[in-house]
Amino acid sequence: EPEVTQTPSHQVTQMGQEVILRCVPISNHLYFYWYRQILGQKVEFLVSFYNNEISEKSEIFDDQFSVERPDGSNFTLKIRSTKLEDSAMYFCASEGLAENIQYFGAGTRLSVL
Amino acid sequence: AQKVTQAQTEISVVEKEDVTLDCVYETRDTTYYLFWYKQPPSGELVFLIRRNSFDEQNEISGRYSWNFQKSTSSFNFTITASQVVDSAVYFCALSEDYSSASKIIFGSGTRLSIRP
C-alpha cells in the first residue's frame, strides 16, 4: 500500500541551527502539506503546496519556515534558525487529485536543545 | 469561525464495551468535509473516514460507526465491542473548502484507553 515517508524519524538540533525535514509523498499525489503537533497538543496546519507554490499558510509559518519540492519526489520543510518552541512532531501529508483525503506520514520528531 | 471541539479529553472503558467519541464543529460554510483520524501510541496519523456535508447518512465499517447530524453540527464516532488495540488518541477534523489543497482543522483529540 502506498504511503507517505518521512525522514528522519527523530532530529535533534541546537537552537539557532537550520534543519530540513524530508518527505516523500505518495506517487501521483499533487497536493502536499506540513502540520505540526507540539507534545500532548492538537495537530496544527502549517502550509499547503500545489503546482510548485504555496497554496495556503498559517500564522505559524513565518519567515523562518520554507518549503520546497526540489525534485519529482521529495517535499521538504526547512526551518532556518530553530527556536526551542519549534520542538514538535512534524507531519507531512499528501493528497491525490479530487480525492479530498490527506494521507499522513509517520512524522519527524524535532527536538531543539 | 471554524472550530472543532472534542469535549472528552480522556475516556477509559473495559474491553468489549461500546464507546462513543463526541465531536462538535463550527463552520460558516455550507460545503465542507469532516474527518476522523486515529493516532496510536506509535504516533502516526491514520485516516479513518471522510464525510462531506451533503451526505448525512450514517456509516458503518466493521466495529466502527459514525453519526453525522447537521442539525446539531456533530459527527460522533462509536466503537462497538472495543478492543485493546483501539487504544489511541482520536482526532475529529474539519476541512472547510471543498476543493483540494485545503487545510484540515483538528480538534484537540480524545485519548481512548481500553482496559483488558
Side-chain angles (χ1 to χ4, degrees), chain B residues 2-34:
Chain B
Q2 62 236 29
K3 192 177 173 183
V4 177
T5 301
Q6 294 180 256
Q8 303 150 309
T9 308
E10 291 192 40
I11 300 176
S12 179
V13 300
V14 176
E15 199 172 19
K16 296 182 185 163
E17 285 186 15
D18 299 348
V19 58
T20 295
L21 310 182
D22 297 333
C23 173
V24 174
Y25 63 92
E26 293 175 33
T27 177
R28 293 166 294 189
D29 286 2
T30 55
T31 56
Y32 50 88
Y33 283 108
L34 295 164

Side-chain angles (χ1 to χ4, degrees), chain B residues 3-116:
Chain B
K3 192 177 173 183
V4 177
T5 301
Q6 294 180 256
Q8 303 150 309
T9 308
E10 291 192 40
I11 300 176
S12 179
V13 300
V14 176
E15 199 172 19
K16 296 182 185 163
E17 285 186 15
D18 299 348
V19 58
T20 295
L21 310 182
D22 297 333
C23 173
V24 174
Y25 63 92
E26 293 175 33
T27 177
R28 293 166 294 189
D29 286 2
T30 55
T31 56
Y32 50 88
Y33 283 108
L34 295 164
F35 305 83
W36 277 94
Y37 282 86
K38 173 182 179 179
Q39 188 175 42
S42 48
E44 71 270 28
L45 285 167
V46 179
F47 167 80
L48 295 179
I49 189 171
R50 180 200 72 188
R51 171 65 76 228
N52 76 54
S53 51
F54 295 111
D55 183 1
E56 285 194 73
Q57 264 194 319
N58 292 333
E59 176 142 349
I60 298 174
S61 176
R63 296 184 295 106
Y64 295 171
S65 62
W66 291 269
N67 182 279
F68 177 28
Q69 301 258 352
K70 225 168 169 178
S71 59
T72 56
S73 297
S74 65
F75 186 45
N76 296 337
F77 173 31
T78 297
I79 302 175
T80 304
S82 59
Q83 299 175 2
V84 173
V85 293
D86 295 327
S87 297
V89 179
Y90 290 85
F91 291 97
C92 180
L94 165 73
S95 172
E96 283 197 320
D97 195 331
Y98 226 60
S99 64
S100 294
S102 178
K103 67 182 179 188
I104 290 179
I105 299 146
F106 284 83
S108 53
T110 296
R111 181 176 300 279
L112 176 64
S113 299
I114 310 297
R115 308 189 304 274

Side-chain angles (χ1 to χ4, degrees), chain A residues 3-6 21-35 45-58 61 66-77 91-105, chain B residues 99-104:
Chain A
E3 59 180 21
V4 176
T5 305
Q6 291 186 242
L21 309 184
R22 303 181 193 281
C23 170
V24 179
I26 294 173
S27 177
N28 298 325
H29 277 192
L30 300 175
Y31 308 98
F32 313 109
Y33 308 82
W34 283 100
Y35 291 80
F45 169 79
L46 290 178
V47 65
S48 58
F49 191 86
Y50 169 66
N51 202 25
N52 286 320
E53 60 182 30
I54 290 174
S55 299
E56 187 178 0
K57 59 183 180 179
S58 73
F61 194 88
S66 62
V67 289
E68 198 176 37
R69 190 158 158 81
D71 52 44
S73 59
N74 290 287
F75 178 51
T76 62
L77 173 69
F91 290 102
C92 172
S94 73
E95 176 184 343
L97 182 65
E99 193 175 8
N100 295 102
I101 298 173
Q102 294 179 26
Y103 295 94
F104 285 77
Chain B
S99 64
S100 294
S102 178
K103 67 182 179 188
I104 290 179

